[in-house]
Amino acid sequence: MSGIRTGGPRVVVIGAGVVGCSLADELTARGWTDVTVLDQGPLPAPGGSTSHAPGLVFRTSPSRTLTAFASYTVEKFGALEADGLPCFNAVGGLELATTPERWADLHRKAGLAASWGVRAELVGPARCKELWPLVDETKVYGGLHTPDDGLARAVPACRAQMERARARGARFLDRHTVTGIERDDGRVTAVVTDRGTFPADHVVSAAGFWGPVVGRMAGVDVPLLPLAHQYARTAPLPELAGAAGPLPEASRPILRFQDRDLYFREHHDRIGIGSYAHRPLPVDAFTVPAYDDAEDMPSSYPFTEEDFAPSWEDCRWLLPALKEAEIEEGFNGVFSFTPDGMPVLGESRVLRGFWLAEAVWVTHSAGVARAVAEWMVDGRPSLDLHDCDLTRFEDAQRSPAYVAERGAQQFVEVYDVIHPLQPMERPRPLRVSPFYARQQELGAVFLEGGGWERPHWYEANAPLADGLRAEGRLTEVMGLGERDPWAARHWSPIAAAEARATREKVALYDMTPLRRLEVTGPGALAFLQRMTTNNLARKPGSVTYTLLLDAAGGIRSDLTVARLAPDRFQVGANSPADLDWLLRHAPADVHLRDITSGTCCVGVWGPLARALVQPLTHDDFSHEAFGYFKAKETCLGHVPVTALRLSYVGELGWELYTTADLGLRLWDTLWEAGREHGVIAAGRSAFNSLRLEKGYRAWGHDMTTEHTPEEAGVGFAVRMNKGDFVGRSALEAAGEPARKLTPLLLDDPAAVVLGKEPVYVDGSPAGYVTSASYGYTLGRCVAYAWLPPLESGTGVHVEYFGEKVPATVAEEPLFDPEMTRIRR
């Protein structure tokens, strides 16, 4: 089944659930009308997750990206109609707190809502009762009311979008089971089904929990785990008789009882109850029955009453009207979880033209579809998607065992109160540096990132913290008396001592998780010049801070590039996406490889750094012979190293790289040589404090593709006169920034914020905090925030758990503005 069609590239979407239908609508609206949507089941409800979804749309999330997706879903579905009824019922949402911890968390969530532009209010028990009369208000501390949230009618939304897409030329074909993906020379060419072959320039897998099955046909890894989730409906309740609203099915807000992993919604005179309280129930995507072989539908498994029994008691505890009620029906509905709980989006580099739009819930469906359509048609999404990009996972995070274990844990944690620094518990340890044994001996407290064990502080340094306390510095100078319970999690005053030791003596930092790429070949310089913003045409031995931009001038990443030989460069990067981006653009005479796992790095920083390293080498490490942002290949004792004169903490020092097999010897060599200088090992908690005092940006937190270099304060890394580079024309056309990454100092020396809090200017929300940490040298908490351009000295407020904390716009860099400590 083929034929010549018009209206842009030929697109085949696999899956006619809410994501596939939304994507067809978004693509055809942008002029790509040669779109075919295939599904193995009957339309408009082919039996995937969409067909059974309860349709809850809560927008507020710690992820700004997910909130933006959900907000667009509300906006779009609210404007769609099917059978004369809107496809979104804005009944609102109500999250209840039955514990002090949850009530505090709802205050934090109210702050997130303000940061992301969601209308929300904290309400007391009486108002909770008014909004949901069946609630026993004596059990409730309060709630978070989000009046614009509500219920998406997923199947009608599919029908409405099908009609619009068909009117523009798209076709939807049911009862077509995909059996293969054809390719040629690394590009997708067609989708094979049991009813014919469909030529394609682009194929999008929007197959939901069947994603791994489609991915295997394409040779593309899809890291998601299908899991069954319990949903039950009560028999009719007298208390709901005659209830009606804009739609007959529900009039009261969707209700979340997260302390017991439960949610509730009305179905006319019944209540629907969803539970995440039960054990994880994984499903093998490769054994899911076909539509005609399923007892009900492929995504619906038999209800396991024994799993629901404890939740039913919790329901009756909160809603006394259920004490005499019965469960009339229930099922275990299958949907998708990834290792980090985020969707998997983007085009495969292994098979060009093959796209993923997977692990997407109804809540985020329209927003994801718009972003993917923009990506396909315009070459980039307008929203930063780095935390959804299919390239974000490390190889160690893609094993079936890892995906299964972490996916199941994401299910368990759906409604948990998760601290931004909270590490996963299993599987650990997974990736360790060569220094791991020494770090354990020093009492390292490890958190985790990218699978790496990362020391955040060392208990061996507790006596140093005791010394600060004895001096009165912890409470009087550094403002580090008793922290509130949230800020005290995954933190220790030892970090203050480690920061002080770095500023006054010398410390060793494990920088091994820093991604390292090797770029070689005769075309290496020209390639890197074209891909990055700064001028890399410098002599071997130079190091350059530079940026990767996209075509619109947005910051894809920031890099440090060391030119070690005329055709050999070492690149310090951020994520697997950086290597993927460079590989997509590399010509044949350029070779790239990730050398992170085979190497390691120690940061040696502090005013005594030179005194530590100089006796270990015959090379001259003086400032005159080895200046700032220079590189040298040398030996320290018996260990060959690549030394880069860089400092992410604002002090004299070097990043020292060697092979993994020599890493332990390097650590021991530095440790022994540093004893006479009072060397310590220091962790990332101190590191983050020191880097914020210097105003050093962290990509993915402080700046993303949504920001230009000028807005982010890194315009110094752009050389417009060096020739053409990716994003240059967009920067030329950019006007004056309407927002700036702005440094704030909290006025109260005892105040602390952690990030993502809303910032108020003249009483109104004007932006949000990106990174924050206590500045132990400055004696104030430092917070960077995206705000309209403001003069230094302007007073603002940061909302922290409902409290408006005064802060002041500061000049940067906040510490050592003359750079005398680094360049000495």
Side-chain angles (χ1 to χ4, degrees):
M1 189 178 294
S2 62
I4 298 174
R5 295 168 63 83
T6 60
R10 298 167 299 180
V11 180
V12 175
V13 179
I14 301 172
V18 70
V19 178
C21 292
S22 297
L23 180 58
D25 183 47
E26 295 288 339
L27 286 171
T28 55
R30 288 166 173 77
W32 281 22
T33 57
D34 191 350
V35 176
T36 301
V37 183
L38 305 173
D39 206 295
Q40 60 186 341
L43 295 178
S49 301
T50 299
S51 302
H52 71 247
L56 279 68
V57 180
F58 277 97
R59 290 168 298 160
T60 304
S61 164
S63 166
R64 179 172 170 269
T65 304
L66 291 185
T67 298
F69 286 159
S71 295
Y72 184 67
T73 300
V74 169
E75 175 189 335
K76 184 177 186 180
F77 289 4
L80 288 175
E81 287 191 354
D83 301 324
L85 295 173
C87 294
F88 183 76
N89 185 3
V91 293
L94 179 63
E95 299 180 51
L96 297 180
T98 60
T99 64
E101 181 186 35
R102 183 70 63 178
W103 184 227
D105 188 59
L106 291 187
H107 283 74
R108 181 179 68 96
K109 273 195 161 181
L112 288 171
S115 290
W116 313 148
V118 175
R119 196 159 62 107
E121 62 173 343
L122 290 162
V123 296
R127 178 60 174 153
C128 292
K129 178 74 170 179
E130 183 181 344
L131 290 166
W132 246 86
L134 275 62
V135 167
D136 181 353
E137 76 275 19
T138 66
K139 308 287 179 56
V140 174
Y141 284 82
L144 179 68
H145 182 216
T146 47
D148 303 318
D149 289 343
L151 294 165
R153 301 174 63 233
V155 173
C158 287
R159 288 168 45 212
Q161 292 178 103
M162 282 182 192
E163 290 176 9
R164 299 203 313 190
R166 281 177 174 141
R168 303 184 191 112
R171 58 181 174 174
F172 292 78
L173 303 176
D174 62 4
R175 299 294 188 174
H176 282 65
T177 300
V178 174
T179 59
I181 307 293
E182 293 185 350
R183 71 201 79 185
D184 182 55
D185 194 27
R187 283 205 63 89
V188 70
T189 58
V191 175
V192 182
T193 77
D194 59 351
R195 298 177 64 181
T197 297
F198 296 83
D201 303 301
H202 296 273
V203 173
V204 185
S205 177
F209 58 80
W210 284 288
V213 179
V214 176
R216 180 176 293 182
M217 297 178 195
V220 175
D221 179 42
V222 182
L224 67 80
L225 176 71
L227 285 155
H229 159 58
Q230 291 202 298
Y231 193 77
R233 293 193 194 196
T234 67
L237 298 174
E239 292 83 358
L240 296 183
L247 291 173
E249 61 186 310
S251 60
R252 296 181 177 90
I254 45 180
L255 183 71
R256 290 205 284 187
F257 179 22
Q258 292 165 299
D259 290 320
R260 292 294 185 272
D261 297 307
L262 291 165
Y263 63 82
F264 306 87
R265 58 152 293 181
E266 292 174 293
H267 292 280
H268 302 286
D269 57 354
R270 295 163 170 81
I271 292 180
I273 306 165
S275 172
Y276 293 99
H278 56 84
R279 61 194 168 94
L281 300 168
V283 173
D284 184 351
F286 292 87
T287 63
V288 174
Y291 188 93
D292 293 327
D293 296 331
E295 183 175 327
D296 181 11
M297 63 177 74
S299 62
S300 179
Y301 278 57
F303 189 64
T304 48
E305 295 183 7
E306 66 277 10
D307 288 311
F308 192 72
S311 292
W312 183 231
E313 293 306 311
D314 290 331
C315 295
R316 291 169 158 176
W317 179 82
L318 181 70
L319 308 176
L322 299 181
K323 288 183 178 178
E324 303 301 323
E326 295 182 353
I327 295 297
E328 187 174 73
E329 59 180 341
F331 66 96
N332 291 357
V334 183
F335 63 143
S336 305
F337 285 80
T338 60
D340 60 4
M342 299 294 285
V344 181
L345 312 177
E347 183 189 19
S348 168
R349 179 176 50 80
V350 175
L351 183 59
R352 300 293 183 90
F354 184 80
W355 296 77
L356 296 181
E358 297 291 8
V360 182
W361 296 1
V362 171
T363 306
H364 310 114
S365 56
V368 164
R370 177 175 67 171
V372 173
E374 290 174 338
W375 207 343
M376 295 175 70
V377 176
D378 303 329
R380 72 185 293 271
S382 57
L383 185 69
D384 169 61
L385 300 184
H386 80 272
D387 52 0
C388 304
D389 196 304
L390 61 88
T391 64
R392 70 188 182 272
F393 295 113
E394 304 282 349
D395 289 344
Q397 297 172 308
R398 289 181 170 274
S399 71
Y402 186 94
V403 172
E405 189 163 4
R406 292 305 307 153
Q409 189 62 24
Q410 289 296 328
F411 177 92
V412 171
E413 295 176 354
V414 160
Y415 282 168
D416 287 0
V417 177
I418 303 294
H419 192 277
L421 292 176
Q422 182 171 319
M424 64 183 190
E425 296 180 0
R426 300 182 312 274
R428 290 179 65 191
L430 185 61
R431 307 175 78 186
V432 299
S433 78
F435 326 130
Y436 184 64
R438 298 292 183 264
Q439 292 165 342
Q440 288 180 302
E441 292 168 3
L442 294 170
V445 175
F446 294 97
L447 300 187
E448 181 273 343
W452 287 101
E453 294 297 317
R454 300 185 177 194
H456 270 242
W457 67 86
Y458 293 84
E459 290 296 331
N461 297 324
L464 300 179
D466 293 339
L468 292 179
R469 190 175 284 107
E471 296 174 26
R473 292 177 63 92
L474 279 177
T475 54
E476 295 177 12
V477 179
M478 293 185 172
L480 294 177
E482 290 296 320
R483 282 196 171 197
D484 69 87
W486 187 252
R489 290 191 195 181
H490 310 297
W491 172 86
S492 168
I494 292 172
E498 293 177 358
R500 183 186 184 188
T502 307
R503 291 278 188 240
E504 296 182 358
K505 293 184 178 180
V506 62
L508 305 184
Y509 288 83
D510 181 1
M511 303 300 293
T512 299
L514 176 70
R515 182 167 302 277
R516 293 171 290 287
L517 311 178
E518 183 181 74
V519 183
T520 59
L525 175 60
F527 169 65
L528 290 172
Q529 283 282 73
R530 178 168 60 85
M531 295 303 297
T532 71
T533 61
N534 213 331
N535 186 13
L536 306 181
R538 299 174 180 176
K539 294 179 180 179
S542 64
V543 183
T544 306
Y545 177 79
T546 188
L547 308 172
L548 285 179
L549 305 183
D550 62 20
I555 303 171
R556 285 192 58 93
S557 189
D558 62 339
L559 312 174
T560 53
V561 180
R563 191 176 191 185
L564 303 178
D567 61 354
R568 181 166 61 93
F569 297 81
Q570 179 174 304
V571 177
N574 285 295
S575 77
D578 294 343
L579 176 61
D580 183 83
W581 176 255
L582 293 171
L583 285 171
R584 287 173 186 268
H585 294 85
D589 61 349
V590 174
H591 307 285
L592 293 99
R593 66 187 186 107
D594 189 328
I595 61 172
T596 309
S597 297
T599 55
C600 59
C601 178
V602 182
V604 183
W605 291 312
L608 301 182
R610 183 176 288 114
L612 190 160
V613 299
Q614 183 61 81
L616 299 174
T617 179
H618 295 296
D619 285 304
D620 188 351
F621 270 52
S622 69
H623 181 65
E624 294 73 22
F626 196 162
Y628 190 51
F629 267 79
K630 298 297 181 185
K632 191 185 294 289
E633 293 183 292
T634 183
C635 288
L636 295 182
H638 296 92
V639 182
V641 299
T642 299
L644 307 186
R645 178 87 184 274
L646 302 177
S647 175
Y648 206 52
V649 300
E651 295 293 336
L652 171 69
W654 289 265
E655 292 177 359
L656 303 174
Y657 298 88
T658 191
T659 53
D661 59 324
L662 290 168
L664 189 58
R665 184 61 177 262
L666 174 62
W667 180 278
D668 289 345
T669 298
L670 295 169
W671 188 261
E672 187 60 35
R675 286 182 181 276
E676 64 180 289
H677 305 293
V679 71
I680 68 161
R684 293 191 68 84
S685 186
F687 176 87
N688 199 46
S689 169
L690 296 168
R691 71 102 178 164
L692 282 172
E693 290 185 327
K694 283 297 293 179
Y696 294 147
R697 278 60 168 150
W699 186 84
H701 295 277
D702 303 315
M703 55 190 185
T704 68
T705 54
E706 295 183 27
H707 311 113
T708 66
E710 193 64 29
E711 291 173 331
V714 290
F716 63 86
V718 178
R719 295 291 182 268
M720 298 293 287
N721 61 354
K722 76 161 188 170
D724 195 23
F725 57 85
V726 175
R728 185 180 187 277
S729 58
L731 296 186
E732 286 181 322
E736 286 297 312
R739 58 187 175 178
K740 288 274 193 177
L741 187 61
T742 305
L744 306 175
L745 285 175
L746 302 194
D747 294 351
D748 182 354
V752 177
V753 298
L754 300 182
K756 300 188 178 181
E757 297 87 358
V759 180
Y760 289 75
V761 178
D762 296 329
S764 299
Y768 60 92
V769 173
T770 58
S771 295
S773 179
Y774 202 88
Y776 301 112
T777 316
L778 302 173
R780 292 288 191 280
C781 184
V782 180
Y784 271 78
W786 281 105
L787 293 169
L790 298 171
E791 294 291 329
S792 176
T794 302
V796 300
H797 288 86
V798 181
E799 183 179 318
Y800 183 71
F801 285 87
E803 179 184 353
K804 299 293 196 303
V805 181
T808 303
V809 176
E811 289 279 357
E812 62 176 341
L814 305 173
F815 175 77
D816 188 27
E818 303 301 321
M819 301 287 282
T820 57
R821 299 177 71 91
I822 293 177
R823 295 190 174 101
R824 59 180 173 183

